[in-house]
């Protein structure tokens, strides 16, 4: 059963539209777990945060977002998927402090920026291995992992840039390793007086995973993202995603912040065009979630359906200090 679920997840990530022109490219990427997202906040908002992420999770979504972080941030996310399949994400970011404190206020943004480290881990549980006759040959654990080192900084009052280096390790019955690169930029401005950010992000540039004689490239993806905050406690995101292994698709998200005494309550929702209800034979594409924050500590939850395969749940715990 685990083997079927793992294959189904990877197929869904790589083949959002079998009838589309991207069919010839579908299934041509390795390392599909790199598409599973990061924290619960981002997943609840449609899974695309290239313009909106400004904390340690930006090491995954868009490293340029690290430039806006003013304090240390540590976060851990656990995702319960199907059967015994689980997916974890952990990150830590820290602004770079000057070796010699300045005695006067600087006249331009510091390009020292913020450094971050993060890790992804997907475990499909124990899978029984059989030969051609159906005889059991023991079992193995299919798992994927990636380690990320990222940096983001402001090069002007409006422009942020960032890059992330990834080391990817994948194991089925054989093991494959590779490295890859993420690049990102964000431009911060206003639209009709509202805070507005437009971002460009490229993920998984270069790198191949080779299993025996078969080598496939990682899922390179380009994103153009937008963030708009028309009200103080209400924001919207909109991303256009261009994957190398399928057709372009949009993703939309929103977040409402409601201060309640000493707490901040967040309500979130999103829609992703990566999958549709027809392809998954059930309810999909929509995601929802909520968050609760107080004095630097935040708890976030996201609910994401995968059609007939079932529902997934993602929990995040954040601490800023």
């Amino acid at each position: 059963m685990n083997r079927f679920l793992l294959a189904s997840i990877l197929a869904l990530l790589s083949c959002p539209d079998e009838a589309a022109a991207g069919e010839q490219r579908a299934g041509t990427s390795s390392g599909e777990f790199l598409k599973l997202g990061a924290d619960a906040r981002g997943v609840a908002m449609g899974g695309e945060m290239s313009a909106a992420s400004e904390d340690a999770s930006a090491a995954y979504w868009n490293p340029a977002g690290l430039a806006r972080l003013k304090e240390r941030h540590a976060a851990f996310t656990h995702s319960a998927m199907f059967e015994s399949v689980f997916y974890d994400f952990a990150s830590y970011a820290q602004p770079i402090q000057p070796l010699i404190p300045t005695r006067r206020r600087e006249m331009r943004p510091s390009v020292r920026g913020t450094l971050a480290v993060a890790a992804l881990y997907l475990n499909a549980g124990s899978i029984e291995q059989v030969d051609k006759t159906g005889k059991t040959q023991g079992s193995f654990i299919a798992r994927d992992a990636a380690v990320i080192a990222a940096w983001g900084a402001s090069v002007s009052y409006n422009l942020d840039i960032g890059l992330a280096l990834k080391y990817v390790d994948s194991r089925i019955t054989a093991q494959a390793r590779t490295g890859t690169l993420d690049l990102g930029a964000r431009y911060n401005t206003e639209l009709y007086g509202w805070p507005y950010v437009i971002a460009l992000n490229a993920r998984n540039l270069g790198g191949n995973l080779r299993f025996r004689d078969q080598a496939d490239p990682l899922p390179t993806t380009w994103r153009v993202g937008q963030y708009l905050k028309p009200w103080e406690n209400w924001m919207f995101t909109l991303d256009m995603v261009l994957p190398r292994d399928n057709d372009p698709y949009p993703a939309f998200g929103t977040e409402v912040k409601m201060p309640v005494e000493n707490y901040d309550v967040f309500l979130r929702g999103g829609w992703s065009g990566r999958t549709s209800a027809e392809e998954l034979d059930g309810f999909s594409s929509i995601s929802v979630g909520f968050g609760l924050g107080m004095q630097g500590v935040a708890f976030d939850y996201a609910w994401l359906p995968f059609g007939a395969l079932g529902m997934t749940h993602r929990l995040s715990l954040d601490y800023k200090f």
Side-chain angles (χ1 to χ4, degrees):
M1 183 65 174
N2 282 345
R3 180 163 45 189
F4 167 75
L5 289 170
L6 178 62
S8 299
I9 294 169
L10 298 183
L12 292 174
L13 292 171
S14 62
C15 307
D17 191 354
E18 288 294 333
E23 181 180 0
Q24 295 180 349
R25 303 187 303 276
T28 61
S29 293
S30 59
E32 297 290 344
F33 79 104
L34 296 171
K35 299 179 180 180
L36 286 173
D39 60 328
R41 178 182 181 237
V43 170
M45 295 174 61
E48 305 299 340
M49 296 283 287
S50 58
S53 180
E54 296 181 343
D55 55 25
S57 68
Y60 175 91
W61 298 116
N62 182 355
L66 293 169
R68 299 287 156 167
L69 189 61
K70 304 303 181 185
E71 54 194 335
R72 291 173 291 177
H73 182 213
F76 175 76
T77 299
H78 177 72
S79 303
M81 303 190 78
F82 317 104
E83 295 288 334
S84 59
V85 179
F86 68 88
Y87 174 76
D88 291 336
F89 171 76
S91 59
Y92 173 78
Q94 179 169 333
I96 302 172
Q97 300 297 326
L99 296 177
I100 302 176
T102 56
R103 295 184 178 181
R104 62 183 180 85
R105 186 174 180 177
E106 297 182 357
M107 300 304 294
R108 62 182 179 85
S110 169
V111 295
R112 289 183 295 268
T114 297
L115 290 174
V117 292
L120 308 169
Y121 182 73
L122 172 69
N123 189 306
S126 180
I127 300 176
E128 184 179 1
Q129 187 173 5
V130 298
D131 60 20
K132 295 180 180 179
T133 66
K135 185 178 179 180
T136 300
Q137 300 293 315
S139 63
F140 64 94
I141 295 177
R143 62 109 180 106
D144 295 291
V147 178
I148 305 171
W151 169 82
S154 298
V155 295
S156 73
Y157 286 109
N158 301 100
L159 181 62
D160 307 325
I161 61 171
L163 63 87
L165 300 175
K166 292 180 187 174
Y167 172 77
V168 182
D169 187 313
S170 184
R171 178 185 298 172
I172 307 177
T173 54
Q175 191 171 13
R177 303 182 181 94
T178 191
T180 188
L181 173 70
D182 291 3
L183 297 174
R186 301 167 76 249
Y187 187 77
N188 303 266
T189 184
E190 292 186 348
L191 183 66
Y192 300 112
W194 300 331
Y196 174 73
V197 178
I198 185 167
L200 178 64
N201 176 220
R203 297 184 197 166
N204 309 313
L205 296 173
N208 296 272
L209 287 176
R210 177 179 292 276
F211 290 96
R212 297 188 174 91
D213 297 329
Q214 180 67 38
D216 292 306
L218 295 178
T220 299
T221 307
W222 289 84
R223 286 168 167 79
V224 179
Q226 299 176 81
Y227 161 93
L228 182 66
K229 194 173 183 180
W231 296 281
E232 181 179 358
N233 294 325
W234 197 349
M235 52 88 77
F236 299 89
T237 62
L238 175 64
D239 278 27
M240 177 56 69
V241 186
L242 296 88
R244 66 161 294 277
D245 54 4
N246 226 292
D247 292 326
Y249 64 88
F252 169 82
T254 186
E255 176 183 75
V256 178
K257 175 182 175 181
M258 299 182 297
V260 180
E261 296 183 354
N262 296 325
Y263 299 87
D264 288 326
V265 178
F266 300 89
L267 299 179
R268 306 180 179 111
W271 175 87
S272 174
R274 187 173 66 189
T275 57
S276 68
E278 292 78 13
E279 292 143 16
L280 295 184
D281 190 25
F283 186 65
S284 65
S285 300
I286 302 297
S287 56
V288 296
F290 64 86
L292 180 65
M294 181 186 68
Q295 297 180 351
V297 179
F299 168 81
D300 297 303
Y301 167 79
W303 176 80
L304 177 65
F306 269 79
L309 288 177
M311 312 301 173
T312 67
H313 307 272
R314 195 165 302 207
L315 301 172
S316 293
L317 181 64
D318 294 46
Y319 179 47
K320 290 183 179 180
F321 56 102

